[in-house]
Amino acid sequence: MTHSLDPADDFSPSRRSLMMATGAAVAAIGLTPAIAAAQGAAEPEIWDKVFPKSDAVEHRKVSFKNRYGIALSGDLYLPKNLGSAPLAALAISGPFGAVKEQSSGLYAQTLAERGFAALAFDPSYTGESGGEPRNIASPDINTEDFSAAVDFLGLQPSVDRERIGIIGICGFGGMALNAVAVDKRVKAVVASTMYDMTRVMSKGYNDSVTLEQRTQALELMSRQRWVDAEKGMPAYQPPYNQLKGGEPQFLVDYHDYYATPRGYHPRAVNSGNSWSQTTPLSFMNMPILTYIAEIAPRPLLLIHGEKAHSRYFSETAFANAAEPKELMIIPGASHVDLYDQPDKIPFERIAAFFDQHLA
């Protein structure tokens, strides 16, 4: 079903369009993130999130490995009134180019307040997670990251492994749908303000890229590989979310989240850092939502803003998915509003969805 929600009741592609012409100038960024040393490490001394800490939730840093041996860093949020019964659990990541200290952490903490064990994690090659070189994305590896988070949650004594769901935000909404299609352990999935990263990188916004433009972009990135191989390190795109004037509103919105105190975090790709120039290569011919209908009969909830430039991604996904499915359009909301605006993010609906389907 599809409906709208009254408010009362990212991937930030800022420069992602440049991925289609990635022979542009290089912004070589040396990032040295630290990986959480061990699973179940102690509470960090400094709260480094962009949202306030909840008094109703316990938080701890955790680390786990994906199927490729990459160590992933996460924040595990648990309700303080834990009780003795194992909890339903949620694995959460996104937006594309964000870190767990931003939107995914907010979603995780808020849902832990509502009784779930919630894990927000940094994808491979970003944030505090492992993987070299830095700031690389992969439709395969980033899909696997969600399944690795399910692995981790299923081993926790406080979690009922038969009651695990996934939430993907923005570009990791598409990764989440891809992961659930293949990982039959997951019982339900929510994609909020979803981007299909393989579609936007291969076809541009609103599928506007021509075959000639696509071929040219692939030519540039293919030749960039020789440059990177010769230097022994990747070249990077220009820094993201730096405004020069005249940008469309959605790019201004990204800047207002990632480049201001509202959502800035130094480890985020989108907060003045960037992806490698060749990152789009693996996205250009691997459409991740090909098998979205195979999520069924497990339920799918898509949430998108009425005014979001990206709304068509969720509408297409909804059309291609099989029942049971639901598309919730938030009146007046933009794409970025669903990153952190509590009056726009339908947390009560999300919690009710998982309460029902992880029962």
Side-chain angles (χ1 to χ4, degrees):
M1 63 180 160
T2 176
H3 63 84
S4 295
L5 177 74
D6 189 309
D9 188 64
D10 244 51
F11 185 171
S12 153
S14 157
R15 294 240 181 208
R16 264 172 213 122
S17 55
L18 288 177
M19 288 182 165
M20 302 305 302
T22 189
V26 173
I29 297 166
L31 301 178
T32 56
I35 301 170
Q39 191 167 299
E43 177 91 10
E45 294 182 3
I46 299 174
W47 182 257
D48 60 349
K49 324 304 180 193
V50 302
F51 50 89
K53 186 176 181 180
S54 171
D55 293 333
V57 171
E58 297 284 357
H59 160 267
R60 62 185 173 99
K61 305 280 284 186
V62 299
S63 180
F64 53 96
K65 288 187 177 181
N66 68 14
R67 191 162 53 91
Y68 299 111
I70 299 170
L72 303 182
S73 177
D75 288 314
L76 181 63
Y77 296 86
L78 297 170
K80 282 189 175 178
N81 55 342
L82 193 57
S84 58
L87 302 174
L90 304 171
I92 308 172
S93 196
F96 191 82
V99 288
K100 64 188 180 303
E101 290 77 17
Q102 296 171 318
S103 184
S104 61
L106 172 64
Y107 274 65
Q109 179 176 260
T110 304
L111 287 158
E113 290 176 328
R114 286 154 175 78
F116 297 91
L119 172 66
F121 65 91
D122 287 333
S124 296
Y125 305 105
T126 64
E128 292 184 307
S129 287
E132 294 289 341
R134 303 306 299 166
N135 294 3
I136 304 292
S138 160
D140 175 30
I141 296 174
N142 294 149
T143 295
E144 157 62 22
D145 290 341
F146 269 112
S147 287
V150 173
D151 293 343
F152 170 83
L153 287 170
L155 297 180
Q156 303 310 301
S158 58
V159 168
D160 181 346
R161 67 167 56 177
E162 299 304 324
R163 300 168 62 210
I164 297 177
I166 279 178
I167 300 175
I169 306 162
C170 189
F172 274 79
M175 306 291 188
L177 299 178
N178 193 35
V180 177
V182 73
D183 192 334
K184 304 305 181 182
R185 300 172 299 173
V186 182
K187 298 301 189 292
V189 58
V190 169
S192 179
T193 197
M194 191 270 287
Y195 257 70
D196 176 349
M197 295 304 304
T198 52
R199 181 178 178 183
V200 75
M201 288 198 202
S202 62
K203 298 181 179 181
Y205 284 107
N206 298 300
D207 303 335
S208 59
V209 168
T210 66
L211 176 59
E212 181 181 7
Q213 291 169 326
R214 171 184 166 85
T215 302
Q216 181 183 29
L218 288 170
E219 177 74 21
L220 289 169
M221 285 185 282
S222 297
R223 293 188 172 276
Q224 182 64 42
R225 292 184 61 115
W226 272 327
V227 177
D228 293 351
E230 185 176 39
K231 293 184 176 180
M233 61 180 295
Y236 288 85
Q237 298 171 36
Y240 286 177
N241 296 311
Q242 295 183 354
L243 300 180
K244 297 181 179 179
E247 289 86 357
Q249 184 59 46
F250 76 93
L251 295 186
V252 176
D253 291 346
Y254 284 128
H255 173 272
D256 287 348
Y257 181 77
Y258 288 110
T260 72
R262 172 184 169 191
Y264 174 83
H265 198 284
R267 286 194 292 270
V269 177
N270 295 334
S271 290
N273 301 311
S274 61
W275 297 106
S276 72
Q277 287 193 19
T278 57
T279 284
L281 276 172
S282 60
F283 288 81
M284 296 285 276
N285 65 346
M286 295 184 186
I288 55 176
L289 298 187
T290 300
Y291 298 102
I292 188 172
E294 295 186 14
I295 292 174
R298 295 162 298 160
L300 159 65
L301 171 60
L302 295 161
I303 302 167
H304 227 104
E306 176 191 19
K307 296 183 177 180
H309 69 286
S310 53
R311 178 174 165 177
Y312 70 99
F313 290 119
S314 284
E315 291 174 337
T316 301
F318 179 74
N320 292 336
E323 296 284 356
K325 60 183 179 178
E326 180 180 351
L327 173 60
M328 177 178 293
I329 301 299
I330 310 300
S334 70
H335 179 87
V336 175
D337 283 340
L338 298 186
Y339 286 3
D340 69 338
Q341 298 301 297
D343 62 329
K344 300 288 179 65
I345 304 170
F347 282 124
E348 295 303 327
R349 177 68 192 101
I350 295 170
F353 173 83
F354 284 119
D355 278 335
Q356 176 184 356
H357 298 296
L358 301 183

